[in-house]
Amino acid sequence: MARKPASRAEFVMFDVIYQDGSQRSNRRVPSEVLGGLDGDVPARATIEEQDRLIAEKSGIAPLPIERIRRSGSK
């Protein structure tokens, strides 16, 4: 019996610029949280949550985010 293809999670990549001037590129955000009337606004909350989890594991406080933009856009 043939198997159904597994559904693949689609992601949108974002560049994150922090208040200290540092940048992290290609942060993955699930595409299902984006769109609608809010556009890319929910991506910030997702990235902040990712930063919080990374900070808990590393023991280093997360940096405040200045802005985000989709990777590849200027």
Side-chain angles (χ1 to χ4, degrees):
M1 179 185 282
R3 295 178 66 190
K4 289 184 179 180
S7 63
R8 295 183 54 179
E10 297 290 326
F11 293 94
V12 177
M13 307 303 263
F14 283 88
D15 296 331
V16 182
I17 296 89
Y18 294 93
Q19 287 182 355
D20 70 350
S22 63
Q23 177 178 334
R24 304 291 183 270
S25 298
N26 297 327
R27 298 289 299 272
R28 292 171 41 156
V29 175
S31 59
E32 63 262 5
V33 301
L34 304 174
L37 297 175
D38 293 331
D40 289 345
V41 173
R44 184 181 190 104
T46 301
I47 292 170
E48 287 173 344
E49 177 65 17
Q50 291 172 357
D51 282 354
R52 188 186 62 75
L53 292 172
I54 291 168
E56 284 178 4
K57 292 178 182 178
S58 69
I60 299 171
L63 296 171
I65 295 174
E66 182 176 317
R67 67 176 191 251
I68 64 170
R69 66 173 181 241
R70 287 186 184 231
S71 294
S73 64
K74 297 289 179 179

